[in-house]
Amino acid sequence: MSFSLHDRLAADSAYVGDFDLCQLRLAHADFGPWLILIPRKNHIHEVHHLSDEDQQQLWRESAAVSQCLEHCFRPDKLNIAAIGNRVPQLHVHHVARFQTDSVWPNPIWGHLNVGPRANDKQTALIQTLRTTLMPDGLDVNPA
């Protein structure tokens, strides 16, 4: 069975690459950067629905994404969350937050009102993320 990405995740984000377990995507919203890790397993809604091995792999990949965000962007805080109220497919948000952002110190959910990032900026950001994360096992050639 092949991996199926929820329509809303596909519409709201761009493909960055694949780790061993998760697909990494960059939100189109002109905020953050805002990355989303999605385990490439169908019908998984919660972290505890993954096998013990996959749970550990998810956190390894989450740590790699977090380290990348800190290294590349120097945020004041990282917001990491698996909410899923509107999209039941398990996905973990990684949002770089800055004291200068438009909704600081509030959470972005329910407070953010931004448009999409310009295409040239989105492309450049994806390239930066790919270059930084490739040593951590990110594959940028989708199967």
Side-chain angles (χ1 to χ4, degrees):
M1 176 188 294
S2 65
F3 165 65
S4 179
L5 182 65
H6 190 280
D7 290 344
R8 183 159 183 173
L9 290 171
D12 290 349
S13 62
Y15 177 81
V16 177
D18 289 315
F19 287 107
D20 288 344
L21 176 66
C22 295
Q23 184 171 106
L24 180 63
R25 300 185 68 86
L26 174 64
H28 291 309
D30 193 9
F31 191 85
W34 179 347
L35 297 172
I36 306 165
L37 272 177
I38 305 122
R40 292 189 320 272
K41 304 275 185 177
N42 291 320
H43 312 296
I44 299 292
H45 299 156
E46 304 293 345
V47 172
H48 67 273
H49 295 163
L50 293 168
S51 69
D52 289 345
E53 181 178 314
D54 284 346
Q55 289 178 44
Q56 291 303 310
Q57 185 62 30
L58 173 63
W59 297 127
R60 282 190 289 273
E61 293 173 9
S62 177
V65 168
S66 298
Q67 290 167 355
C68 172
L69 288 171
E70 283 187 336
H71 172 77
C72 291
F73 306 102
R74 308 280 187 234
D76 295 307
K77 182 70 176 115
L78 292 177
N79 289 177
I80 301 171
I83 299 171
N85 294 347
R86 293 189 178 172
V87 176
Q89 182 175 26
L90 177 61
H91 59 288
V92 182
H93 300 271
H94 293 70
V95 185
R97 297 294 309 272
F98 302 88
Q99 290 181 12
T100 57
D101 73 42
S102 62
V103 295
W104 182 271
N106 295 315
I108 60 172
W109 292 273
H111 294 95
L112 191 60
N113 186 17
V114 298
R117 185 178 290 110
N119 286 340
D120 59 333
K121 290 181 181 178
Q122 186 84 339
T123 300
L125 189 49
I126 288 170
Q127 189 55 48
T128 296
L129 295 164
R130 286 177 173 172
T131 301
T132 304
L133 287 166
M134 286 177 91
D136 292 312
L138 185 72
D139 178 3
V140 297
N141 299 305

